[in-house]
Amino acid sequence: MLQVLGLSGPTEAVYRAMLAHPGWGIADLSAGTGLPDDLVRSALDELADLALLRPSEQGAGGLRAVSPEVGLAALLAAAEAEAAGRQRQLEATRAAIAAIAAEHDTGRTEDGSVRLEGIDAVRIRLEELSVGVCLEVASLNPGGAHRPDARQASGPLNQQILERGVAIRAVCRESFRNDPDTLAHARWLTGLGGQMRTVATVPMPLVIFDRRIAILPLDPDDSRAGAIEVRSPGVLAASCALFEQTWAAGTPFGQAALPDDNGCTPVERALLEIISSGHTDDTAARKLGLSLRTVRRMMSDLMERLDAQSRFQAGVNATKKGWL
């Protein structure tokens, strides 16, 4: 209990014994406290250093314990003064941090947007925003397999956020289930209370903090190029609407994506939409996060089901049949 004043456990026991039994010597203190003689002597030296012992007037060379009202009160006053000094140092440090942050934030424009050059700058800013988030982090994640370096960077942040009671909602591509490491990361995140849904294609990378700040990519096709931090109400409203629309269309993690009334899974329907828009198999594979071989196999199966001889005809027939 008195460790905050500098007394160890044995020293406190010896001090209490001396207060209760002023005439005890080392042997009595050892027997009364259950401490060996050498530890009692060390405790007496510690009490002397703390000015809690004074020479006794009743015997030559004897010692008496200083009363708690005098000795411990003086130690408490010293500890309080030290704590007050420490608090002043912390406040000065806080002001210094704010000044450094203000210098670092020179890239902010009048509307509050900041350009973040490169993946390192983005990750640093995500860490900073994660510390201050209060309600929710919502994200769209179009990448396929979750990169090991990204998992290592985001894992501790996500855990701290969830432990503070902040909600996490994440949307990922359906194809991420094919990667064992990413699947394990998803199970870990949802096991901590995070929410995750999957869709066939994710429109773009996006992270929203408390519906006040959004992080958007500089190049949607290259998330490592950097991002822009925005606070504009109009951009935030559009970003939140995009997230909510994608979230509503997603399948909760742990559930299988069900086919529609035409027997099409979300991935098959997305493939038909991509091909019908004139994109190649390579583009479809990249958007869906699937291998080119898988896309061609799926397309061949869809053409057979649609009684089509070409991809173009498959798109036309899918539209006529109401598949799209």
Side-chain angles (χ1 to χ4, degrees):
M1 184 181 298
L2 299 180
Q3 289 181 354
V4 69
L5 300 181
L7 279 74
S8 64
T11 300
E12 180 180 345
V14 171
Y15 178 65
R16 288 176 178 271
M18 292 184 71
L19 289 173
H21 306 282
W24 276 10
I26 291 179
D28 297 322
L29 290 171
S30 178
T33 60
L35 300 172
D37 287 357
D38 59 340
L39 199 54
V40 171
R41 294 180 188 277
S42 297
L44 292 174
D45 290 340
E46 190 176 325
L47 289 170
D49 291 339
L50 293 172
L52 291 176
L53 289 183
R54 290 182 181 173
S56 174
E57 302 292 339
Q58 297 183 0
L63 297 171
R64 65 176 179 84
V66 177
S67 67
E69 291 85 352
V70 176
L72 294 183
L75 291 176
L76 179 59
E80 290 175 336
E82 182 180 354
R86 178 65 175 166
Q87 184 60 38
R88 288 193 294 272
Q89 290 179 342
L90 291 174
E91 292 300 328
T93 302
R94 188 188 306 277
I97 292 175
I100 294 172
E103 293 177 4
H104 175 66
D105 205 20
T106 54
R108 190 175 300 279
T109 61
E110 291 184 1
D111 65 355
S113 63
V114 180
R115 187 181 177 94
L116 305 170
E117 299 286 353
I119 189 66
D120 287 341
V122 175
R123 287 180 177 171
I124 290 172
R125 188 54 180 152
L126 290 175
E127 291 174 0
E128 294 170 348
L129 292 173
S130 296
V131 172
V133 67
C134 299
L135 302 175
E136 181 188 60
V137 179
S139 64
L140 299 180
N141 307 276
H146 209 60
R147 294 170 55 91
D149 58 339
R151 285 200 305 274
Q152 186 176 5
S154 65
L157 290 176
N158 289 335
Q159 183 169 356
Q160 293 169 13
I161 289 171
L162 291 170
E163 287 176 349
R164 297 202 329 261
V166 176
I168 289 181
R169 288 194 293 161
V171 179
C172 300
R173 282 194 309 204
E174 180 70 27
S175 60
F176 93 91
R177 301 173 189 261
N178 299 327
D179 180 72
D181 288 342
T182 307
L183 196 59
H185 176 76
R187 288 176 178 144
W188 171 82
L189 181 65
T190 54
L192 289 177
Q195 300 179 65
M196 181 176 289
R197 292 187 179 184
T198 59
V199 293
T201 59
V202 177
M204 63 181 292
L206 173 66
V207 186
I208 305 172
F209 293 88
D210 287 341
R211 295 181 174 267
R212 296 185 305 106
I213 302 172
I215 304 295
L216 304 169
L218 292 175
D219 181 356
D221 294 327
D222 182 12
S223 61
R224 303 183 71 83
I228 184 168
E229 173 188 330
V230 296
R231 299 166 182 258
S232 167
V235 177
L236 278 171
S239 299
C240 291
L242 175 62
F243 173 82
E244 294 297 347
Q245 183 181 32
T246 309
W247 176 263
T251 301
F253 177 72
Q255 299 180 17
L258 299 177
D260 59 20
D261 295 339
N262 299 305
C264 270
T265 66
V267 174
E268 289 175 332
R269 189 166 56 251
L271 175 58
L272 284 172
E273 290 173 349
I274 294 170
I275 296 299
S276 298
S277 299
H279 295 294
T280 63
D281 289 350
D282 287 333
T283 301
R286 187 171 62 255
K287 287 180 174 291
L288 295 171
L290 300 172
S291 68
L292 182 59
R293 185 176 182 178
T294 299
V295 166
R296 286 174 174 169
R297 176 181 54 77
M298 290 176 57
M299 198 63 227
S300 177
D301 178 66
L302 286 168
M303 288 171 61
E304 183 178 348
R305 287 156 56 187
L306 288 165
D307 192 23
Q309 303 302 314
S310 67
R311 283 162 170 69
F312 175 78
Q313 187 179 8
V316 172
N317 290 354
T319 302
K320 288 181 178 178
K321 293 176 178 289
W323 288 25
L324 298 178

